[in-house]
């Protein structure tokens, strides 16, 4: 277990605040022992909260080109078919993970591949479970195409409390499955948009772990549709290879 780099500033501010507050109480109320002990306990709890929030556990990633790994710790709050209108512009299976303040807030790539699309959106700060938070809140949209040509799109979404989204990727980057792509401070939500036909391995309300839980299994990529000319050529080739029976009766 280590401390995440995104927490250094917050930890420094926390320690400074605790030091100043305790120094003031000690200076102005030297005899208020009960108040000082209460303050010591509250200061310790605040320090523990900051440390646990920015914790960065070491995990082992089991990469698999067919698997879609969970991008964050949390609880599955949405599994539904929807229309993705920003980049893919087609029907997808949306799977959303809500991250509470007690979860690890590291975000990880669900698949390996190339970043085909990235965009940051300014927006509102609706509560993360609000239906419109996916399209109206502050957010990032990222799409990765794997080696089979399958694209998985996902979003970091800020909530009412979380107002700081951090990302480490850009369009054109080649990324590994399970690698960190960002961080959301103080709880929020991540949406994942999967191709229709993907096998979903989780259920609503299930607690999931970033980089460890297998959210879904991608279906084999279907063969591209043949053009009319290709279909006619294929038919002619079949005819040429197969002898035609003479159904006329001999006289």
């Amino acid at each position: 277990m280590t401390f995440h780099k995104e927490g250094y500033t917050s930890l420094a501010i926390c320690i400074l605040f605790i030091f100043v507050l305790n120094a003031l109480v000690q200076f102005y109320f030297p005899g208020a022992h009960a108040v000082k002990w209460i303050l010591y306990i509250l200061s310790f709890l605040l320090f523990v909260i900051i440390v646990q929030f920015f914790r960065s556990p070491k995990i082992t990633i089991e990469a698999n080109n067919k698997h879609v790994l969970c991008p964050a710790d949390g609880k599955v709050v949405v599994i539904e078919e929807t229309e993705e209108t920003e980049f893919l512009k087609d029907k997808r299976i949306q799977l959303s993970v809500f991250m509470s303040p007690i979860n690890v807030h590291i975000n990880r790539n669900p698949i390996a591949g190339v970043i085909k699309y990235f965009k940051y959106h300014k927006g509102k700060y609706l509560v993360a479970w609000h239906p419109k938070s996916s399209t109206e809140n502050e957010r990032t949209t990222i799409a990765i195409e794997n080696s089979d040509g399958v694209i998985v799109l996902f979003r970091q979404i800020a909530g009412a409390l979380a107002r700081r989204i951090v990302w480490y990727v850009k369009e054109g980057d080649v990324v590994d499955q399970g690698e960190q792509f960002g961080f959301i401070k103080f709880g929020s939500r991540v949406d994942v948009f999967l191709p229709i036909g993907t096998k979903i391995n989780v259920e609503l309300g299930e607690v999931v772990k970033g980089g460890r839980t297998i959210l879904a299994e991608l279906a084999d990529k279907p063969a591209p549709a043949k053009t009319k000319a290709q279909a006619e050529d294929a038919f002619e080739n079949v005819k040429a290879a197969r002898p035609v029976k003479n159904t006329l009766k001999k006289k």
Side-chain angles (χ1 to χ4, degrees):
M1 183 77 68
T2 57
F3 192 74
H4 198 275
K5 62 182 180 180
E6 298 297 339
Y8 292 153
T9 300
S10 297
L11 184 61
I13 293 173
C14 174
I15 293 173
L16 179 62
F17 173 76
I18 290 173
F19 175 79
V20 171
L21 185 61
N22 282 270
L24 290 174
V25 172
Q26 182 69 33
F27 182 79
Y28 288 106
F29 307 100
H33 298 294
V35 174
K36 286 193 288 185
W37 273 107
I38 292 173
L39 188 60
Y40 292 156
I41 294 171
L42 293 177
S43 298
F44 176 75
L45 290 176
L46 177 60
F47 178 79
V48 170
I49 288 171
I50 294 296
V51 170
Q52 72 86 30
F53 180 82
F54 289 101
R55 67 193 186 278
S56 179
K58 293 182 179 180
I59 65 173
T60 301
I61 304 297
E62 296 184 6
N64 188 309
N65 204 40
K66 294 298 181 183
H67 290 171
V68 179
L69 295 183
C70 186
D73 285 17
K75 183 193 295 185
V76 178
V77 294
V78 173
I79 302 176
E80 64 181 11
E81 187 175 312
T82 187
E83 189 84 15
E84 201 295 303
T85 58
E86 181 179 344
F87 174 66
L88 299 170
K89 303 186 186 303
D90 64 4
K91 288 187 177 182
R92 290 271 157 158
I93 300 173
Q94 178 183 339
L95 197 155
S96 301
V97 176
F98 174 72
M99 307 159 63
S100 76
I102 64 172
N103 290 128
V104 173
H105 281 66
I106 297 168
N107 300 147
R108 299 181 181 275
N109 297 313
I111 64 172
V114 180
I115 304 290
K116 302 298 289 186
Y117 178 82
F118 174 87
K119 190 170 184 179
Y120 166 75
H121 303 265
K122 293 182 179 180
K124 301 177 181 179
Y125 296 100
L126 303 173
V127 290
W129 56 84
H130 194 286
K132 293 185 178 180
S133 65
S134 182
T135 55
E136 295 187 10
N137 275 21
E138 179 186 7
R139 63 198 182 279
T140 64
T141 301
I142 304 168
I144 298 179
E145 182 177 17
N146 70 10
S147 57
D148 293 331
V150 178
I151 296 178
V152 171
L153 183 143
F154 47 99
R155 292 193 178 106
Q156 295 173 291
I157 302 171
L161 180 61
R163 301 195 175 199
R164 181 73 173 108
I165 295 176
V166 182
W167 60 90
Y168 312 132
V169 296
K170 62 182 183 302
E171 200 167 302
D173 284 353
V174 177
V175 297
D176 293 327
Q177 188 175 38
E179 183 181 30
Q180 294 186 29
F181 75 84
F183 195 98
I184 308 178
K185 296 184 178 181
F186 304 111
S188 195
R189 167 175 159 176
V190 178
D191 289 350
V192 183
F193 293 84
L194 304 167
I196 299 297
T198 300
K199 178 186 176 185
I200 306 301
N201 291 342
V202 294
E203 299 178 351
L204 281 175
E206 184 172 338
V207 175
V208 290
K209 296 292 184 180
R212 287 175 283 185
T213 301
I214 300 172
L215 289 184
E217 296 177 27
L218 298 171
D220 292 332
K221 185 180 178 183
K226 293 182 179 179
T227 64
K228 183 178 179 181
Q230 289 174 325
E232 290 176 350
D233 289 342
F235 180 70
E236 292 298 328
N237 290 336
V238 171
K239 285 175 62 179
R242 182 182 301 169
V244 179
K245 287 185 177 181
N246 187 353
T247 58
L248 294 176
K249 293 182 178 180
K250 293 182 180 180
K251 293 184 178 180

